[in-house]
Amino acid sequence: MTQKERQQRSKEEIYQAALDEFGTLGYDRVNMERICGRHGISKGMMYHYYSNKDALFLLCVERTFADLKNHVERDMNELAGQSVLETIKSFFMSREYYFQLHPKQKMVFEDAMLRPPKHLVEQIQDLRAPIREVNRQFLRQLVARMSLRPEVDPKKAARYLESVDYFFQSAVRSYQDVSPEKDLHSMFETAEEMLDMVLFGILCQSEVRDASSSC
C-alpha cells in the first residue's frame, strides 16, 4: 500500500468515526477525545489530519451534502415521465428517501440546517451551495411545465417551491397524527395531502371577496 493510500484510509477511518458520533449524538455532545477513545484512533493521527471538532463536523456536513446532491440528481433523472404533481411530490420526498437509508447523515443535516453552531453558519451555507443550485435548476424546469395563474411570475413560483421544500419534511411530521406511523408510505400519503394544500390553498377565493358567497 502506498503512503497516499494509507493516508486516505486513515482519513476515511476518522470520517466514519466522526459520522458515527455526530450522527448519533449531535454536534454539542461530541468532542475529539470521545471520537478517539470510542473508535481506537490515536490522538496523533487525529490531529495530524484534523485540528479540531469543527473541522470534523464540517467534513461530515460536506460529505452529507455531496451524497444528498448525488441522490437528488439521480432521482431527478427518473422523474421525466411523471405528471407535474407527481414530480413535485417525488422531489419533495426525495430527501426523505435518502435519510431513511442514512439516519446518521440525517442528524448531521438537521444540526447543520436547523441548529447550526453560530460560528460555522457561513461555512455551512457555502458547503450547501451546490445542492441548492441543483434544486433551483430543477424547480425552474418544473415551473416551466406548470399552468400558473396569470399573476404568478415563474421566478416567484420557483422561489416559493424552494422555500416550501426547505421545511417540508418537518412540516409533514408535525402534520401527522399525534402517534403517526413512522414508515415512509405513511409519510408519502401525508405529503400528498399537504402538497394539495400547498399548491391549491385552503381558502376559497370567494371567502376573501364575499363572506356570503360559496366556492
Side-chain angles (χ1 to χ4, degrees):
M1 182 180 293
T2 66
Q3 182 179 5
K4 183 177 181 180
E5 289 172 334
R6 286 196 296 271
Q7 290 175 339
Q8 188 59 41
R9 186 178 67 177
S10 296
K11 292 172 73 173
E12 182 64 21
E13 180 183 346
I14 292 172
Y15 162 70
Q16 292 296 338
L19 177 63
D20 185 61
E21 295 299 316
F22 287 121
T24 303
L25 300 175
Y27 174 85
D28 290 336
R29 296 171 61 191
V30 174
N31 56 54
M32 299 283 271
E33 289 73 19
R34 178 185 174 89
I35 296 174
C36 289
R38 283 180 53 83
H39 297 272
I41 298 172
S42 72
K43 291 185 179 180
M45 185 175 78
M46 171 68 81
Y47 286 100
H48 175 73
Y49 293 109
Y50 301 102
S51 59
N52 54 41
K53 165 182 166 177
D54 288 345
L56 281 177
F57 180 67
L58 290 173
L59 169 67
C60 292
V61 171
E62 181 178 20
R63 291 276 292 265
T64 294
F65 285 170
D67 290 347
L68 180 59
K69 173 180 175 289
N70 292 336
H71 172 84
V72 170
E73 286 181 317
R74 285 194 300 270
D75 275 4
M76 285 165 45
N77 292 332
E78 297 174 2
L79 299 179
Q82 294 186 352
S83 68
V84 170
L85 289 179
E86 284 297 318
T87 301
I88 296 174
K89 183 171 64 176
S90 296
F91 173 75
F92 278 8
M93 292 301 292
S94 176
R95 191 167 64 224
E96 191 62 35
Y97 282 125
Y98 173 79
F99 289 137
Q100 286 273 326
L101 298 173
H102 305 94
K104 290 177 182 176
Q105 283 88 342
K106 179 178 181 179
M107 171 72 84
V108 170
F109 181 88
E110 291 180 347
D111 263 359
M113 300 306 300
L114 304 179
R115 303 175 292 272
K118 291 182 179 179
H119 61 292
L120 298 179
V121 168
E122 186 174 343
Q123 290 166 278
I124 289 171
Q125 288 302 312
D126 288 342
L127 293 175
R128 183 172 172 256
I131 190 170
R132 189 166 55 235
E133 183 56 31
V134 167
N135 289 346
R136 285 175 176 169
Q137 290 177 4
F138 176 76
L139 290 174
R140 284 196 293 265
Q141 294 170 4
L142 184 60
V143 166
R145 296 170 52 198
M146 294 179 179
S147 298
L148 299 175
R149 286 162 33 199
E151 66 272 23
V152 176
D153 178 83
K155 290 183 180 178
K156 291 181 179 179
R159 281 203 305 272
Y160 169 67
L161 290 175
E162 183 181 7
S163 66
V164 170
D165 174 56
Y166 185 73
F167 296 104
F168 195 72
Q169 273 71 24
S170 59
V172 166
R173 294 187 185 88
S174 299
Y175 183 75
Q176 285 182 299
D177 294 335
V178 176
S179 299
E181 294 293 331
K182 297 298 184 182
D183 62 282
L184 194 58
H185 177 72
S186 173
M187 287 194 67
F188 202 81
E189 289 184 339
T190 303
E192 187 169 8
E193 186 175 340
M194 278 196 64
L195 189 58
D196 180 80
M197 291 187 286
V198 166
L199 295 177
F200 304 111
I202 60 173
L203 185 64
C204 180
Q205 288 194 28
S206 61
E207 287 290 325
V208 179
R209 300 190 185 97
D210 184 354
S212 65
S213 299
S214 62
C215 290

